[in-house]
C-alpha cells in the first residue's frame, strides 16, 4: 500500500569558506563555498490530502517568525516545481517544524525545499536520481542541492555546482543566533559597496582548508575559516564584531559569520569547550540565543 505521510529531517549549514568574486553583469557573483551540514534540523512532514485540496502549508516550532505560510514559501515552490516536472496534481499538506533560524545565513528556506523534494519523491514513488534532485533543487536556490547531499561539500558557480569534499572527523560548533535576521541581497550589496574600486579576483578553493579537513585538524580548520561577506554583514550589524570578540576571548579555534549572517559559528575543540563558550556568550548579552551542534551530518532524509 502506498504511504500517505512522510517526514523528512533536514539540517542547517555553516560555511567554512565563502569566497565571493566580482559582481557579474547579471547581478550574480561567482562563488566558492565550502559548506558543512550541522545538527540543527527542520522536520518537514508531508501528508496526502483529498483530491482538489491542492498544496497547503503550516509552520510550527521555535523559529516561525518571518516564515511565509503561503505559495511564496520555498517548500511550496518545490512542490509546485515537482507538479510541473512530473505533470500530476499534488494534494498534500506540508508541515514545517522549524528549528533552523530564519534569515540567519544557515539556508533554512533551502533546507525546507530540499526536504520537500526528498519527501515527495518518497511519497509518490517518483524514483528520482540524486542528479535529478540536484537539478530540480538548483532551480529553487543555489544552496538547495547541498541541503540534499549534506556532509561537507564545495559549491562553485553560483554555489550550486557541488563536489563532495574529503573530510574526516567530527567538528564541534557553537552557534550564536541573532533575534533579527539579515537580508542576503542587502549583505551582498554592502559587500560590493565596501569593495568598490578594489580589484576582485576570481574566487579560489582554499587548499589549506581542504588539507586540514582531510587531516581532521580542527585547529587548522579554525584558522582557515573565511567569509568574504563577513565585513558586509558586520558593517550592517556592528554588534557582530562584539560577538566574534567573545569567541576569540574564550579560545575558540575559529569564528565565522555564516553565509550572509547574522548567525556566527564558532569552531571549538570539544563538547566541554563548547559548553563554556555557550555559557560565556549567553552571559555576554550580545547574542539572541546560543545553540551547540556537530558536523558534518547527513542531508535531507526520510525518518
Ligand atoms: P541563505 O543562507 O540561503 O542565504 P538564510 O538562512 O539567510 O538563507 P532563510 O532562513 O532561508 O535565510 O530565509 C530567508 C527568507 O526566505 C525569509 O526571510 C523568508 O521570508 C523566506 N522563506 C521562504 N521560505 C522559507 C522557509 N521555508 N523557511 C524560512 N524562510 C523562508
Amino acid at each position: 500500500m502506498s504511504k500517505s505521510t512522510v517526514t523528512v529531517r533536514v539540517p542547517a549549514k555553516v560555511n567554512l569558506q565563502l569566497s565571493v568574486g566580482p559582481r557579474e553583469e547579471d547581478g550574480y557573483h561567482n562563488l566558492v563555498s565550502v559548506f558543512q551540514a550541522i545538527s540543527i534540523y527542520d522536520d518537514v512532514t508531508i501528508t496526502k490530502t483529498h483530491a482538489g485540496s491542492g498544496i497547503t502549508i503550516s509552520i510550527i516550532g521555535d523559529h516561525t517568525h518571518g516564515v511565509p505560510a503561503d505559495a511564496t514559501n520555498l517548500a511550496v515552490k518545490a512542490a509546485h516545481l515537482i507538479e510541473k516536472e512530473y505533470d500530476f496534481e499534488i494534494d498534500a499538506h506540508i508541515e514545517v517544524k522549524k528549528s533552523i533560524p530564519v534569515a540567519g545565513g544557515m539556508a533554512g528556506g533551502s533546507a525546507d525545499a530540499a526536504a520537500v523534494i526528498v519527501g515527495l519523491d518518497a511519497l509518490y514513488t517518483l524514483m528520482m536520481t540524486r542528479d535529478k534532485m540536484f537539478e530540480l533543487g538548483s532551480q529553487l536556490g543555489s544552496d538547495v542541492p547541498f541541503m540534499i547531499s549534506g556532509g561537507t561539500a564545495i559549491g562553485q558557480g553560483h554555489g550550486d555546482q557541488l563536489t563532495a569534499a574529503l573530510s574526516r572527523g567530527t567538528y564541534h560548533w557553537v552557534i550564536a543566533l541573532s533575534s533579527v535576521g539579515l537580508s542576503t541581497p542587502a549583505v551582498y550589496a554592502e559587500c560590493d559597496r565596501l569593495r568598490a574600486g578594489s580589484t576582485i579576483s576570481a574566487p579560489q578553493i582554499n587548499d589549506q582548508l581542504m588539507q586540514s579537513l582531510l587531516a581532521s585538524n580542527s585547529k587548522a580548520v579554525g584558522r582557515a575559516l573565511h567569509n568574504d561577506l563577513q565585513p558586509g554583514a558586520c558593517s550592517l550589524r556592528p554588534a557582530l564584531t562584539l560577538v566574534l570578540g567573545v569567541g576569540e576571548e574564550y579560545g575558540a579555534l575559529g569564528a565565522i559569520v555564516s553565509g550572509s549572517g547574522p548567525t556566527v559559528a564558532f569552531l571549538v575543540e570539544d563538547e566541554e569547550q563548547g559548553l563554556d563558550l555557550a555559557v560565556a556568550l549567553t552571559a555576554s548579552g550580545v547574542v539572541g540565543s546560543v545553540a551547540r551542534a556537530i558536523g558534518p551530518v547527513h542531508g535531507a532524509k526520510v525518518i
Side-chain angles (χ1 to χ4, degrees):
M1 209 178 84
S2 72
K3 279 180 287 191
S4 63
T5 187
V6 70
T7 297
V8 178
R9 179 158 290 170
V10 64
K13 60 89 179 159
V14 290
N15 294 89
L16 310 181
Q17 176 188 350
L18 180 51
S19 299
V20 180
R23 189 175 185 275
E24 306 286 321
E25 269 175 19
D26 60 4
Y28 282 96
H29 300 75
N30 272 316
L31 306 176
V32 167
S33 182
V34 179
F35 306 102
Q36 187 170 93
I38 62 163
S39 60
I40 296 176
Y41 303 101
D42 282 357
D43 283 346
V44 178
T45 300
I46 310 173
T47 306
K48 286 183 183 170
T49 49
H50 61 82
S53 56
I55 298 160
T56 53
I57 187 164
S58 57
I59 320 290
I60 60 167
D62 307 333
H63 295 276
T64 58
H65 186 72
V67 184
D70 57 28
T72 64
N73 194 297
L74 268 184
V76 178
K77 287 187 179 170
H80 284 307
L81 181 64
I82 287 174
E83 262 188 330
K84 207 168 125 216
E85 184 75 15
Y86 288 87
D87 198 20
F88 73 111
E89 263 174 44
I90 296 176
D91 295 301
H93 182 70
I94 303 169
E95 182 192 75
V96 182
K97 183 161 180 262
K98 277 211 86 73
S99 298
I100 304 176
V102 182
M106 302 188 87
S110 303
D112 298 340
V116 166
I117 293 173
V118 170
L120 289 178
D121 177 56
L123 199 56
Y124 292 95
T125 328
L126 300 175
M127 312 291 278
M128 285 185 210
T129 60
R130 275 274 136 151
D131 281 351
K132 182 69 190 173
M133 289 187 185
F134 288 176
E135 182 212 311
L136 290 175
S138 63
Q139 292 181 45
L140 295 158
S142 53
D143 290 346
V144 180
F146 176 68
M147 307 322 293
I148 295 169
S149 82
T152 307
I154 304 164
Q156 285 170 285
H158 294 162
D160 58 336
Q161 295 161 23
L162 213 59
T163 328
L166 296 169
S167 170
R168 289 203 182 95
T170 295
Y171 295 85
H172 295 264
W173 295 95
V174 176
I175 310 292
L177 308 170
S178 171
S179 41
V180 186
L182 268 176
S183 140
T184 303
V187 174
Y188 272 95
E190 184 65 1
C191 170
D192 291 335
R193 194 186 67 80
L194 293 174
R195 303 198 304 189
S198 326
T199 312
I200 312 297
S201 45
Q204 304 288 337
I205 298 171
N206 179 347
D207 289 334
Q208 195 89 47
L209 173 64
M210 302 323 293
Q211 280 165 24
S212 309
L213 285 167
L214 186 59
S216 186
N217 183 342
S218 52
K219 285 197 178 73
V221 170
R223 281 194 299 273
L225 297 175
H226 180 81
N227 178 2
D228 280 345
L229 292 180
Q230 191 158 310
C234 290
S235 163
L236 295 178
R237 187 69 60 77
L240 289 181
T241 312
L242 300 175
V243 178
L244 289 160
V246 176
E248 220 166 277
E249 201 178 312
Y250 280 83
L253 304 177
I256 189 167
V257 168
S258 185
S260 54
T263 301
V264 177
F266 298 96
L267 184 62
V268 292
E269 193 106 44
D270 50 27
E271 247 185 280
E272 201 183 326
Q273 197 193 19
L275 200 54
D276 288 349
L277 178 57
V279 170
L281 282 165
T282 307
S284 73
V286 292
V287 301
S289 58
V290 182
R292 287 181 298 136
I294 57 161
V297 297
H298 61 80
K301 75 168 185 199
V302 174
I303 53 169

